[in-house]
C-alpha cells in the first residue's frame, strides 16, 4: 500500500465459511487475518465497511445443534447467539489496533422504506467520518419471511451503492468466477476481468459451494450487477489468500474483477432506491406512444399515455410500468394516487403521471452482453 494511492471507500463482504472452522465455530485465526488486513487499509487512509456473515454458523453449536439448523426459529435463535459472539470478537480485535467497530443490523424493510433507507446511509456516513468501522449484517433474529436479504452478497452490493463506495470486495471460499465449474472441469479458466455479465455467465452460475454459507455464485453475480449499475467495481476472490484485501484494493489480487467501463451506468441515490430497494405497490399500463416516450425519447409518462391502472396505490408510491405486450419497462414514483389517475373528470388534463427524473427503466440498469 503506497501513500500516493487514491484513498477509497471500500465495502468488504466476508462469507460464513471464511470465518468459521470446519466444525462451525468461529475461527480466531481467520478473524485475526481479516481484521489485520482491514487495519492495514485503515492505516493507509481508506474507509471500510464490513458486511459479515457467520452469525448462524457461529451460534448453532452453542444452541445445542449438531448440524446447521434448517428451521427458521432455530436459525434465528442461532443467529441471536452468533451475532453477539462475532461482534465481541471483532470489537476486541479492532480495539487492539486502535479502531472502534460498530454494529448495524438491518432488514430489507429498512431499505424498502425511503426514509429508513436515508437514515441508514446517514448513520454509516457519520461513522465513517469518525474513523469507525461499521459492521453490517441482516437482523436475522427478526426477519419474518426468510433469513436472507437475498443473501449477504446482495446486501453488500446494496450497501456499497447506498454509501457510494469506490469498490466492493466479496471474499468467499472460491478463487473467483470461472468459465466452467472448477470442481467438475480441470480445464476451467479463471476469468480475471469481466466487463459485461452475459446470459451465459448467469446461466452457468451454480448453487452454494459450501455447507456453511448460503450464497452461491449466482448471488455473487447478482451482487456484481447491482454494484456495476451503481458505477462500482467489484472484486471476487478467496478469503484465505495472503494479503487478498489489500491486493484487491490495489488491483493486484488473484480473482475476478467486475469492471465498470461505461460511465453512463451510474444511478444516483434516488434511482438506486427505486431500482433495487423499493417495493412496487401497483402497475401502470402504458400504450405504445408512452413506451416510445419513455424508452426512445427519455420523456415523462403523461396521462394520455395510460391505458390501465392496477392497484390502489397512493401518491408517491413506486409502481411498475407495463407496456402493451405485458412487458415491464421499469419502475417509477407516481405523482398521483391510482384514483386520481383514473378520475374521468381529470383524464383529459395534460398531467405528468411519472416524471422522468423519478423513473428507472430496465435499459438504465442492464449490463451489456458480451465478455
Amino acid at each position: 500500500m503506497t501513500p500516493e494511492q487514491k484513498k477509497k471507500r471500500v465495502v468488504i463482504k466476508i462469507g460464513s465459511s471464511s470465518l468459521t472452522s470446519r466444525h462451525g465455530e468461529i475461527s480466531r485465526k481467520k478473524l485475526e487475518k481479516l481484521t489485520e488486513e482491514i487495519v492495514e487499509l485503515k492505516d493507509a487512509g481508506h474507509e471500510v465497511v464490513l458486511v459479515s456473515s457467520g452469525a448462524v454458523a457461529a451460534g448453532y453449536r452453542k444452541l445445542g445443534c449438531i448440524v446447521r439448523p434448517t428451521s427458521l426459529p432455530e436459525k434465528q435463535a442461532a443467529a441471536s447467539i452468533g451475532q453477539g459472539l462475532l461482534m465481541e470478537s471483532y470489537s476486541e480485535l479492532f480495539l487492539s489496533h486502535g479502531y472502534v467497530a460498530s454494529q448495524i443490523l438491518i432488514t430489507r424493510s429498512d431499505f424498502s422504506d425511503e426514509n429508513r433507507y436515508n437514515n441508514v446511509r446517514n448513520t454509516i456516513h457519520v461513522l465513517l467520518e469518525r474513523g469507525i468501522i461499521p459492521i453490517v449484517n441482516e437482523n436475522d433474529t427478526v426477519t419474518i419471511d426468510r433469513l436472507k436479504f437475498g443473501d449477504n452478497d446482495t446486501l453488500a452490493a446494496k450497501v456499497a451503492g447506498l454509501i457510494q463506495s469506490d469498490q466492493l470486495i466479496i471474499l468467499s471460499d472460491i478463487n473467483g468466477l470461472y468459465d466452467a465449474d472448477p470442481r467438475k472441469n480441470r480445464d476451467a479458466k479463471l476469468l480475471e476481468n469481466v466487463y459485461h455479465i452475459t446470459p451465459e455467465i448467469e446461466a452457468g452460475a451454480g448453487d452454494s459451494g459450501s455447507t456453511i454459507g448460503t450464497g452461491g455464485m449466482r448471488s455473487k453475480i447478482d451482487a456484481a450487477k447491482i454494484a456495476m449499475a451503481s458505477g462500482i467495481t467489484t472484486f471476487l476472490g478467496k478469503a484465505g489468500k495472503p494479503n487478498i484485501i489489500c491486493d484487491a484494493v490495489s488491483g493486484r489480487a488473484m480473482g475476478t474483477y467486475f469492471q465498470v467501463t461505461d460511465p453512463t451506468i451510474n444511478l444516483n441515490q434516488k434511482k438506486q432506491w427505486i431500482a433495487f430497494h423499493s417495493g412496487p405497490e401497483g402497475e401502470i399500463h402504458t400504450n405504445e406512444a408512452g413506451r416510445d416516450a419513455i424508452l426512445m425519447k427519455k420523456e415523462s409518462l403523461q396521462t394520455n399515455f395510460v391505458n390501465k391502472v392496477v392497484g390502489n396505490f397512493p401518491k408517491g408510491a413506486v409502481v411498475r410500468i407495463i407496456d402493451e405486450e405485458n412487458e415491464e419497462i421499469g419502475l417509477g414514483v407516481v405523482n398521483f394516487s391510482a384514483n386520481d389517475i383514473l378520475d374521468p373528470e381529470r383524464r383529459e388534463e395534460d398531467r405528468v403521471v411519472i416524471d422522468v427524473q423519478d423513473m428507472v427503466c430496465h435499459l438504465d440498469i442492464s449490463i451489456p452482453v458480451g465478455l
Side-chain angles (χ1 to χ4, degrees):
M1 200 70 54
T2 58
E4 64 272 11
Q5 279 187 309
K6 175 183 178 292
K7 302 302 184 285
K8 293 182 178 180
R9 175 172 289 181
V10 183
V11 173
I12 301 168
K13 183 267 177 178
I14 183 77
S16 299
S17 60
S18 303
L19 289 176
T20 53
S21 70
R22 60 190 178 90
H23 301 295
E25 305 277 342
I26 292 176
S27 169
R28 183 74 177 188
K29 183 178 180 180
K30 290 180 179 180
L31 278 178
E32 287 176 353
K33 176 185 180 297
L34 173 67
T35 54
E36 285 171 3
E37 290 206 41
I38 292 175
V39 164
E40 186 173 345
L41 284 188
K42 291 288 294 178
D43 287 346
H46 299 289
E47 295 178 329
V48 179
V49 175
L50 177 62
V51 177
S52 178
S53 300
V56 175
Y60 75 81
R61 285 187 173 272
K62 288 182 170 53
L63 185 64
C65 299
I66 298 176
V67 297
R68 184 184 175 95
T70 56
S71 72
L72 183 60
E74 285 186 319
K75 285 181 179 180
Q76 292 178 322
S80 72
I81 298 171
Q83 190 63 43
L85 294 173
L86 276 176
M87 279 307 302
E88 181 182 5
S89 297
Y90 277 131
S91 294
E92 177 189 339
L93 289 168
F94 282 125
L95 278 173
S96 70
H97 294 280
Y99 290 106
V100 175
S102 72
Q103 178 176 246
I104 299 177
L105 297 177
I106 60 177
T107 64
R108 282 179 300 172
S109 61
D110 294 322
F111 271 50
S112 62
D113 181 277
E114 190 173 8
N115 288 328
R116 281 188 280 170
Y117 173 80
N118 290 328
N119 286 341
V120 172
R121 183 182 69 241
N122 294 337
T123 297
I124 296 177
H125 281 167
V126 170
L127 292 169
L128 292 176
E129 288 170 1
R130 303 294 175 87
I132 293 167
I133 302 170
I135 301 176
V136 181
N137 198 0
E138 185 174 11
N139 195 351
D140 290 341
T141 59
V142 300
T143 304
I144 60 174
D145 51 358
R146 55 178 176 169
L147 251 183
K148 49 190 180 179
F149 208 90
D151 48 75
N152 271 356
D153 298 318
T154 304
L155 172 59
K158 292 185 174 185
V159 169
L162 173 73
I163 63 170
Q164 297 177 299
S165 174
D166 296 299
Q167 186 177 20
L168 169 63
I169 296 174
I170 298 177
L171 299 180
S172 187
D173 53 1
I174 53 178
N175 286 320
L177 177 65
Y178 286 81
D179 61 359
D181 189 339
R183 295 170 298 182
K184 301 176 181 178
N185 186 343
R186 289 184 178 181
D187 298 323
K189 180 182 177 183
L190 178 67
L191 304 177
E192 296 182 1
N193 290 283
V194 172
Y195 298 96
H196 310 299
I197 296 179
T198 67
E200 291 76 18
I201 286 176
E202 293 188 277
D207 297 324
S208 175
S210 167
T211 57
I212 299 295
T214 57
M217 182 56 70
R218 180 55 189 259
S219 73
K220 291 164 179 56
I221 290 172
D222 288 343
K225 287 180 69 175
I226 292 171
M228 292 169 81
S230 303
I232 300 167
T233 294
T234 300
F235 172 80
L236 171 62
K238 193 168 186 176
K241 291 195 172 296
N243 302 313
I244 186 69
I245 293 176
C246 295
D247 286 348
V249 172
S250 302
R252 302 191 306 264
M254 186 186 88
T256 301
Y257 286 89
F258 295 86
Q259 304 280 8
V260 177
T261 57
D262 186 350
T264 64
I265 303 177
N266 190 353
L267 303 179
N268 61 33
Q269 288 283 307
K270 176 73 173 183
K271 292 197 173 187
Q272 281 183 42
W273 177 77
I274 294 170
F276 305 128
H277 313 303
S278 65
E281 299 181 46
E283 298 177 359
I284 290 181
H285 291 245
T286 184
N287 57 26
E288 187 175 350
R291 186 182 191 281
D292 289 344
I294 293 170
L295 296 182
M296 308 301 293
K297 301 176 183 178
K298 305 298 182 183
E299 293 178 349
S300 301
L301 182 66
Q302 305 281 345
T303 309
N304 59 316
F305 296 147
V306 177
N307 282 344
K308 183 173 69 171
V309 172
V310 178
N312 186 25
F313 48 82
K315 174 183 177 181
V318 175
V319 299
R320 303 182 190 278
I321 308 169
I322 311 294
D323 67 14
E324 290 182 324
E325 301 297 323
N326 212 34
E327 295 289 331
E328 184 176 312
I329 299 172
L331 304 173
V333 179
V334 291
N335 293 326
F336 306 96
S337 68
N339 289 335
D340 282 342
I341 296 171
L342 293 172
D343 186 347
E345 294 184 3
R346 306 178 66 182
R347 183 71 176 170
E348 301 303 321
E349 295 180 17
D350 185 20
R351 298 186 298 164
V352 175
V353 177
I354 303 177
D355 191 279
V356 67
Q357 299 301 320
D358 293 326
M359 189 186 307
V360 180
C361 301
H362 292 306
L363 290 177
D364 296 332
I365 59 174
S366 64
I367 307 300
V369 173
L371 255 184

